[in-house]
Amino acid sequence: MSAGSTSSVYVYRYGRSGEGGIGNGVNRLRSKGPTPVLRLSKVTKVFGPHPQRAMPLVDRGDTRDAVRQKTGQNVAVNRVSLEVYPGEIFVVMGLSGSGKSTLLRCINRLIEPTAGRIWVGEEEITRMDDRSLRRLRQRRMAMVFQQFALFPHRTVLANVAFGLEVQKVAKGERRRRAQEALELVGLGGWADHYPHELSGGMQQRVGLARALCNDPDILLMDEAFSALDPLIREEMQDELLKLQQQMGKTIVFVTHDLNEALKLGDRIALMRDGEVVQIGTPEEVVSRPADEYVARFVRGADIAKILTAADVMKHPEPVVTLKDGPRVALHRMRQAGISSLFVVGRDARLAGLVSADDAFAAAEKGETRLEAIVSRDFERVDPETPVEKLLPILAAGRTPVAVTDLEGRLKGIVVRGAVLEALAAKGGGNRAQDSAGALG
């Protein structure tokens, strides 16, 4: 793998809704050694009339400028090696001219690489003939462009179904699958409209639905939201994350926008002059930049948008179980120096919260169980909730925030001090001061 990559990556397990359906049902987890769904090895693209003249200089490590001066050829992508894992959003970012869009198009050979090898699973794309490549593009890989590229004379439904029409899928089946894709992106009622009747954000949703309609393993997204207004762009980012939770697709997403990369990416590859200079999680790229270029690129990034509840939560101890009584709860609170405790069932699922005042009153009455005094007046979040969204919750609440998994099991608790400590430790000193003021 490329320098700066991490061995612990996000992987999704997901099922499909049946033959010809759209993938759904996803569980996010950590894994140490997954099999990559996409691999690139020393992929290089040289533009110019004589690209092979540049390759000896590229192979010996000459810079892009040096190769151009000596050969007149332009190295757009320079010996890129990376791996993308099932179900992750892998963001490729960099400034204009860094080679990110060219790299994306090399993946599905819309642009032919000059050198290097690319695999999807066990299939090597760079060795495929035209027929095999067309089949792969139709069934395993789809692309969403910056410009929506919709057919103005076709209805929304017909635009979404176009790929299935090319594959000669029966009309009834392709209409069913296109409608399913439209429902997925929130445009179920717009099937009979035409692109000019839709807003820019809605047109991009149509483009996304068209890509999803074939139920591909991999989505390639090239600056897909950059043509949208800022508010619509944020909505589309949220929509993509929501869809990803449902489907667990593998997504390679190209952007020049740091905030977009930090919000969407499970991992980020940062490019400069055709080379990948660092691969890592958003937190790794921001807190441990590989060189001064990366440091300048990410300077000023808001740590609160990068850190999640999982990064700042504390181990959920002490807790009490439903079988414990109020006196046990009071004893544990007194030992820990706290005024409330979370209550869990035997399966570790969160049942509620008990306060010292309520436990004391129950003990005075001779109560022996907690069910009657368990409160559900508290906030809970999932482990991937950004700290940015935790701050107003902590400011408004008087109790810790519970962190629970999809099954409702208590994984940790978030308190104000832990958030401020994490922001300061990760280089967010100014944000920590601002947050301290916001939290009172």
Side-chain angles (χ1 to χ4, degrees):
M1 281 180 74
S2 301
S5 61
T6 178
S7 60
S8 181
V9 298
Y10 284 118
V11 184
Y12 286 80
R13 288 179 178 171
Y14 61 97
R16 296 175 185 269
S17 56
E19 185 66 22
I22 296 183
N24 57 41
V26 55
N27 252 335
R28 200 169 200 180
L29 52 91
R30 289 275 186 177
S31 176
K32 289 294 184 182
T35 301
V37 70
L38 177 66
R39 287 185 293 146
L40 280 65
S41 176
K42 297 182 180 179
V43 172
T44 301
K45 178 59 185 179
V46 180
F47 288 108
H50 306 289
Q52 291 303 325
R53 290 182 183 176
M55 287 311 301
L57 306 182
V58 171
D59 289 339
R60 79 183 189 188
D62 284 17
T63 66
R64 172 192 278 184
D65 288 342
V67 173
R68 186 186 299 114
Q69 289 173 3
K70 295 173 183 176
T71 68
Q73 313 303 300
N74 180 44
V75 182
V77 176
N78 191 342
R79 297 171 301 166
V80 170
S81 296
L82 55 83
E83 296 174 345
V84 181
Y85 296 94
E88 72 171 334
I89 301 180
F90 187 92
V91 174
V92 182
M93 69 173 299
L95 300 175
S96 179
S98 62
K100 56 190 185 297
S101 291
T102 301
L103 177 65
L104 191 76
R105 284 163 168 75
C106 284
I107 290 175
N108 63 0
R109 283 179 55 193
L110 286 180
I111 293 177
E112 286 289 344
T114 306
R117 304 173 73 183
I118 303 169
W119 293 265
V120 171
E122 298 302 318
E123 294 185 280
E124 186 175 348
I125 298 176
T126 39
R127 292 179 181 268
M128 284 183 175
D129 58 26
D130 289 345
R131 182 179 180 184
S132 299
L133 184 59
R134 282 195 300 271
R135 187 182 302 114
L136 178 133
R137 288 173 179 165
Q138 291 171 353
R139 298 180 180 178
R140 298 200 63 186
M141 197 178 283
M143 194 161 187
V144 182
F145 299 91
Q146 177 180 354
Q147 301 301 326
F148 315 129
L150 302 179
F151 297 111
H153 61 286
R154 283 174 167 256
T155 65
V156 165
L157 188 74
N159 266 282
V160 174
F162 177 72
L164 298 179
E165 183 179 336
V166 171
Q167 296 179 46
K168 302 188 184 306
V169 174
K171 184 175 181 179
E173 173 67 5
R174 66 177 185 252
R175 286 182 62 87
R176 181 190 69 79
R177 288 169 61 177
Q179 184 64 43
E180 182 183 353
L182 284 172
E183 297 285 349
L184 199 60
V185 300
L187 292 178
W190 293 83
D192 296 327
H193 290 256
Y194 287 85
H196 72 271
E197 300 177 277
L198 277 59
S199 68
M202 294 169 75
Q203 289 183 46
Q204 190 59 286
R205 287 172 188 259
V206 175
L208 184 56
R210 180 175 56 193
L212 294 173
C213 192
N214 291 357
D215 199 19
D217 298 320
I218 301 171
L219 274 179
L220 305 178
M221 304 185 71
D222 185 20
E223 299 271 11
F225 305 148
S226 63
L228 304 174
D229 293 336
L231 288 178
I232 300 175
R233 184 172 184 168
E234 285 216 13
E235 289 177 4
M236 286 302 300
Q237 292 166 2
D238 292 338
E239 184 71 19
L240 181 63
L241 291 173
K242 177 183 173 183
L243 288 171
Q244 182 66 343
Q245 286 292 327
Q246 295 176 258
M247 300 178 303
K249 296 296 182 185
T250 302
I251 300 173
V252 182
F253 191 101
V254 163
T255 182
H256 65 274
D257 184 271
L258 175 62
N259 289 328
E260 186 167 67
L262 297 177
K263 180 175 182 177
L264 296 179
D266 292 315
R267 288 187 301 146
I268 298 170
L270 199 95
M271 293 189 71
R272 176 185 60 194
D273 294 339
E275 299 182 54
V276 171
V277 294
Q278 183 170 1
I279 297 177
T281 64
E283 184 178 344
E284 288 169 340
V285 171
V286 171
S287 61
R288 296 192 296 277
D291 58 21
E292 182 56 29
Y293 172 80
V294 180
R296 290 198 308 271
F297 202 100
V298 302
R299 190 168 293 139
D302 191 346
I303 301 296
K305 293 182 178 180
I306 303 167
L307 295 179
T308 65
D311 297 315
V312 300
M313 70 184 186
K314 293 183 174 293
H315 189 67
E317 287 290 344
V319 295
V320 287
T321 64
L322 284 171
K323 68 179 179 60
D324 293 322
R327 295 186 184 278
V328 172
L330 284 170
H331 175 72
R332 291 180 181 168
M333 283 186 245
R334 188 162 45 246
Q335 281 188 319
I338 55 180
S339 59
S340 62
L341 279 178
F342 284 110
V343 183
V344 297
R346 289 184 177 179
D347 54 3
R349 284 183 170 84
L350 181 59
L353 183 79
V354 61
S355 69
D357 289 342
D358 289 343
F360 180 79
E364 288 288 289
K365 294 177 183 177
E367 297 281 352
T368 59
R369 299 183 66 83
L370 293 175
E371 283 93 336
I373 60 171
V374 169
S375 169
R376 289 170 178 79
D377 184 19
F378 61 91
E379 297 285 348
R380 72 170 77 195
V381 299
D382 66 70
E384 293 178 32
T385 301
V387 165
E388 180 183 43
K389 293 186 178 181
L390 283 174
L391 293 174
I393 295 174
L394 289 167
R398 293 175 295 175
T399 61
V401 175
V403 183
T404 57
D405 63 14
L406 293 175
E407 284 73 40
R409 289 187 290 264
L410 183 63
K411 309 303 292 183
I413 60 173
V414 177
V415 296
R416 300 182 184 194
V419 171
L420 297 176
E421 180 184 351
L423 288 173
K426 296 297 183 181
N430 291 336
R431 185 57 195 263
Q433 292 177 7
D434 294 342
S435 300
L439 294 175

